[in-house]
Amino acid sequence: MPLVWRRSVAGARLLLSVAGILVEAMRGGPAASLIIPLLVLYAAFSLAALVFSQFDRSSRALLGLLLDCVVFMILCTGDGDARLWLCSGFYFYLMASAVLLHSTQQLLLVSVSALGYLLIVQPSLAPSLWSSLLPMTALGVVCSLLQRSLRDRLFQASRQAVLFRSEARQARQAEMERIAADFHDGPLQSFISFQLRLEVIRKMLTKSVAAAAAEVEQLQELVRNQTAELRAFVRSMRPFDVDGTELSASLSRTVEHFQKDTGIAARFVGSGELDIDHGDTSKEVLLVLREALTNIYKHARASRVVVTAERRGETLGMQVEDDGEGFELAGIFTLEELENLRVGPVSIRRRVRALGGDMVLESRPGSGAVLRFQFPL
């Protein structure tokens, strides 16, 4: 519970105890000589709770609530307008402190005890107090229930925030691993090959200049391929700047860039309206397409790629087809079968799962492959 709430409750208790002392001192009489010492002790307790903020916690806070209830019952034994206003204000404080610092069950316990005391003992102030105490009790119960509901929602929200942070951390880690693997399998290997070829050319120059020249031409081709691969790698590192209403154009640009960077003939066919309100879903769909195209360039040895996208109601369907070497296994495999067989791109399977989508792989070894996706919107 916030410190300011506990201090506010303790401060209100102290003010009420001082007000009670003043009212009894003005009234005088034998009853005042008995009640004033009790209120002085109660004021000392209130001052200690205000100074030591950790006092109103757990069991000690419940002890203070019970003591407040007893003091309220004692004050109800008198009469007069001043005592009536004091009792009404004290009961309002009692309900407010129970709402702020205690559970709904404890609030009900205190209210039932206080109202039961008035009903059974029937002090002189009881008839005048009912009209104010009953509405305050109902208000206190409603506020306590609302606070409990809000507290439960806050707990769920904080739990979801922790889960989201964990998922974001795992996603960053997976993306870092993917980038490291792509760089290791692509540019780094090409640089190592480039270094080895240079050493071969250096040795060949002492023996045959013509053979060294032919090797240089092959090395130039390697550099061109490496430049295209590095360009594609750098492009894959750039964040997407996509609006949900421009998904079709973003898919088309991704396919166009793939063709420009790799030299592989690629075509995009978009049918129907592809508008998506959720920008994060659009980005994830684009990441799936980009990874699928990257895998085709690295492993499929394809010469043609066709990407098709279509929206059917609240589902987005996308298909990526190539005429490359296909996968080792022939046939049609669902997402669950791919996960069980540990076949197919792991990162794509993970993204499809995160989106709550589905994926089907149709592999034709030597004749290409088809990836079909279904994403719920």
Side-chain angles (χ1 to χ4, degrees):
M1 190 62 59
L3 177 62
V4 65
W5 288 14
R6 296 198 302 271
R7 286 186 171 177
S8 298
V9 170
R13 180 192 287 133
L14 179 61
L15 291 177
L16 285 171
S17 61
V18 172
I21 293 173
L22 294 177
V23 169
E24 293 302 317
M26 293 173 60
R27 284 168 50 84
S33 60
L34 297 176
I35 295 178
I36 288 178
L38 295 177
L39 292 177
V40 170
L41 293 176
Y42 183 66
F45 169 79
S46 303
L47 181 61
L50 180 62
V51 173
F52 303 101
S53 57
Q54 71 274 14
F55 186 88
D56 278 336
R57 291 185 180 178
S58 63
S59 60
R60 287 169 292 186
L62 182 58
L63 176 63
L65 184 64
L66 295 176
L67 181 60
D68 294 339
C69 186
V70 171
V71 172
F72 169 77
M73 295 177 183
I74 293 175
L75 293 176
C76 289
T77 56
D79 53 13
D81 292 340
R83 182 70 73 84
L84 177 64
W85 284 103
L86 180 62
C87 290
S88 298
F90 202 95
Y91 191 78
F92 179 80
Y93 152 78
L94 197 60
M95 292 294 99
S97 64
V99 169
L100 293 176
L101 301 180
H102 302 277
S103 65
T104 305
Q105 291 83 354
Q106 292 170 344
L107 182 146
L108 290 174
L109 175 62
V110 170
S111 60
V112 168
S113 301
L115 297 179
Y117 170 79
L118 295 179
L119 185 62
I120 295 174
V121 178
Q122 294 185 351
S124 57
L125 289 178
S128 302
L129 285 174
W130 284 112
S131 60
S132 60
L133 265 56
L134 290 177
M136 283 190 281
T137 302
L139 180 62
V141 172
V142 171
C143 291
S144 181
L145 292 174
L146 288 176
Q147 184 200 44
R148 180 175 180 178
S149 176
L150 291 175
R151 187 178 300 173
D152 292 340
R153 292 183 182 181
L154 181 60
F155 173 76
Q156 293 296 332
S158 61
R159 183 177 180 181
Q160 287 294 329
V162 172
L163 293 176
F164 289 154
R165 285 196 296 268
S166 177
E167 291 177 359
R169 184 168 56 251
Q170 292 176 1
R172 287 194 300 268
Q173 184 66 27
E175 195 67 13
M176 291 172 61
E177 292 176 357
R178 183 189 70 83
I179 293 171
D182 288 347
F183 191 81
H184 179 272
D185 296 339
L188 183 59
Q189 297 299 322
S190 297
F191 281 127
I192 294 174
S193 177
F194 188 79
Q195 182 182 7
L196 295 176
R197 299 288 284 275
L198 284 177
E199 180 64 24
V200 171
I201 292 173
R202 186 184 67 82
K203 294 179 179 180
M204 291 178 64
L205 285 173
T206 60
K207 299 179 180 180
S208 173
V209 176
E215 189 69 21
V216 168
E217 291 181 359
Q218 295 180 9
L219 188 59
Q220 287 177 332
E221 182 64 24
L222 176 64
V223 171
R224 282 193 291 269
N225 294 335
Q226 179 60 31
T227 301
E229 187 171 345
L230 279 175
R231 187 181 292 114
F233 181 78
V234 172
R235 192 183 301 279
S236 68
M237 294 293 294
R238 293 174 181 168
F240 285 116
D241 183 13
V242 58
D243 189 354
T245 60
E246 299 179 353
L247 179 59
S248 179
S250 300
L251 291 171
S252 179
R253 284 196 300 268
T254 302
V255 175
E256 181 182 348
H257 291 156
F258 170 78
Q259 177 175 281
K260 185 183 299 183
D261 293 338
T262 64
I264 299 175
R267 183 166 59 96
F268 171 73
V269 179
S271 57
E273 189 67 35
L274 297 182
D275 294 353
I276 296 179
D277 296 332
H278 203 300
D280 291 340
T281 301
S282 300
K283 292 180 181 179
E284 289 297 320
V285 171
L286 287 169
L287 284 171
V288 169
L289 175 60
R290 190 164 67 180
E291 291 189 36
L293 293 176
T294 300
N295 290 333
I296 290 174
Y297 170 68
K298 289 167 124 183
H299 310 295
R301 301 180 184 272
S303 60
R304 181 182 58 84
V305 177
V306 178
V307 178
T308 305
E310 180 181 9
R311 178 170 179 171
R312 302 183 185 92
E314 295 302 316
T315 302
L316 173 66
M318 185 172 67
Q319 176 176 296
V320 183
E321 182 178 4
D322 68 85
D323 62 349
E325 297 181 348
F327 291 84
E328 295 180 357
L329 297 178
I332 300 177
F333 305 92
T334 63
L335 180 58
E336 290 77 9
E337 291 171 341
L338 291 174
E339 291 177 340
N340 293 332
L341 296 173
R342 297 184 179 180
V343 177
V346 178
S347 56
I348 292 181
R349 298 202 312 260
R350 187 183 299 118
R351 291 188 188 279
V352 172
R353 280 291 190 192
L355 289 173
D358 196 10
M359 168 183 168
V360 174
L361 168 65
E362 180 180 349
S363 176
R364 303 183 295 265
S367 301
V370 181
L371 281 172
R372 298 186 181 93
F373 303 96
Q374 294 289 335
F375 302 106
L377 305 178

